[in-house]
Amino acid sequence: MTAIISGSELASDLTGENPPVLLDVRWQLTAAKAPGEPAFDGRAEYAAGHLPGAVFVDLDAELAGPPGPGGRHPLPDLDVFGAAMRTVGVSADRDVVVYDGGQGWAAARAWWLLRWTGHPSVRVLDGGLAAWQGELSTRTPDPEPGDFVPKPGETGAVDADGAAALARSGLLLDARAAERYRGDVEPIDRVGGHIPGAVSAPTTDNVGPDGRFLPREQLADRFRSLGAVSGTEVGVYCGSGVSGAHEVLALAVAGIPAVLYPGSWSEWSGDTSRPVATGPDPQ
């Protein structure tokens, strides 16, 4: 089982006797849009055309809790998350494939949550919707309810203290854009900068122009150059635990296990007692 699947592989799997559950998680960071533009509506995008049989999942409502001290996209209430997954047909004994509009961040968030809560077989459509060569559908399916019950793993996630410790004892990667890491700009959170000791590693550098992940060995070389060597524990954070999940996925493609700090910079920077580093140097 790999973490990603190509469009052609998915098309083949969908014709099998036990096709995967398809989840459409189209989402965009509204704050990143130009002033005056309407908020992105993932559900409307889904309704306009989606992979046949796919069911829409709302990242803000079902893959995250309400914004607050825990960040802009804190971990969801597990009862809410579990109920949402069962409603869209997720069962423990059936493969799941997740996709989004192409950026990969939202799909990776769903992938990470399902994996962290115990689902054994989840993959992301590499390249998102654009990787699908078949026809799209406007029909909303009514799936049979699933039986998945989320059970968080003992590993896979860290809190703010755990992230701080990883920055000292292991490797903590910051998946945001380099200018936010340095603190040159901060369009969303209270203050710019990074967790002291964290290394800048924009997740956008893990994909090619088509939005698909770079080859496994190329990714492995990149992460090794950043310090992900054998025996080093690796963690990732971002702005709010979404693009960071995409970096964890890239690490998985490279064969490197990593944990996610879900609260990420939105939680860290919201706590005025936490230290903030600026500039290109980790410290």
Side-chain angles (χ1 to χ4, degrees):
M1 172 58 63
T2 59
I4 57 176
I5 185 172
S6 69
S8 59
E9 290 171 328
L10 176 59
S12 176
D13 285 1
L14 288 173
T15 63
E17 294 184 0
N18 189 26
V21 174
L22 274 179
L23 304 182
D24 182 311
V25 196
R26 271 180 274 183
W27 171 89
Q28 286 184 9
L29 184 61
T30 300
K33 294 172 71 70
E37 287 190 28
F40 179 82
D41 188 340
R43 193 176 294 276
E45 294 287 327
Y46 166 84
H50 52 265
L51 270 64
V55 184
F56 181 73
V57 174
D58 188 319
L59 184 148
D60 291 314
E62 296 166 332
L63 304 182
R72 282 181 281 109
H73 290 104
L75 292 174
D77 178 275
L78 290 183
D79 289 338
V80 172
F81 173 63
M85 292 300 97
R86 290 189 292 274
T87 296
V88 297
V90 175
S91 291
D93 62 351
R94 189 175 174 191
D95 294 352
V96 177
V97 172
V98 190
Y99 72 92
D100 58 25
Q103 190 177 40
W105 297 3
R109 171 74 175 213
W111 168 85
W112 180 83
L113 268 173
L114 282 165
R115 295 291 291 147
W116 178 62
T117 54
H119 198 287
S121 178
V122 189
R123 287 174 289 176
V124 170
L125 176 58
D126 192 19
L129 187 66
W132 178 252
Q133 298 300 308
E135 294 184 356
L136 299 180
S137 172
T138 57
R139 188 182 74 83
T140 300
D142 184 20
E144 289 289 327
D147 62 13
F148 179 68
V149 177
K151 297 178 181 178
E154 295 182 2
T155 61
V158 292
D159 59 12
D161 288 339
L166 258 181
R168 296 189 299 269
S169 65
L171 175 65
L172 182 64
L173 299 176
D174 186 317
R176 299 172 300 157
E179 59 268 25
R180 292 184 68 192
Y181 169 88
R182 294 190 302 266
D184 299 345
V185 298
E186 183 42 66
I188 306 170
D189 294 315
R190 184 185 66 84
V191 64
H194 57 270
I195 296 174
V199 174
S200 180
T203 199
T204 50
D205 291 348
N206 295 319
V207 297
D210 59 0
R212 299 181 187 181
F213 282 108
L214 300 175
R216 174 188 173 99
E217 282 307 314
Q218 196 170 336
L219 286 172
D221 287 344
R222 181 193 186 215
F223 291 124
R224 278 194 293 266
S225 72
L226 292 169
V229 296
S230 178
T232 299
E233 187 177 2
V234 180
V236 181
Y237 75 97
C238 57
S240 63
V242 179
S243 66
H246 187 263
E247 185 121 298
V248 173
L249 176 58
L251 283 154
V253 172
I256 302 170
V259 299
L260 177 69
Y261 168 29
S264 287
W265 188 247
S266 59
E267 178 186 41
W268 184 280
S269 65
D271 182 348
T272 57
S273 71
R274 298 279 179 187
V276 171
T278 56
D281 189 279
Q283 301 301 331

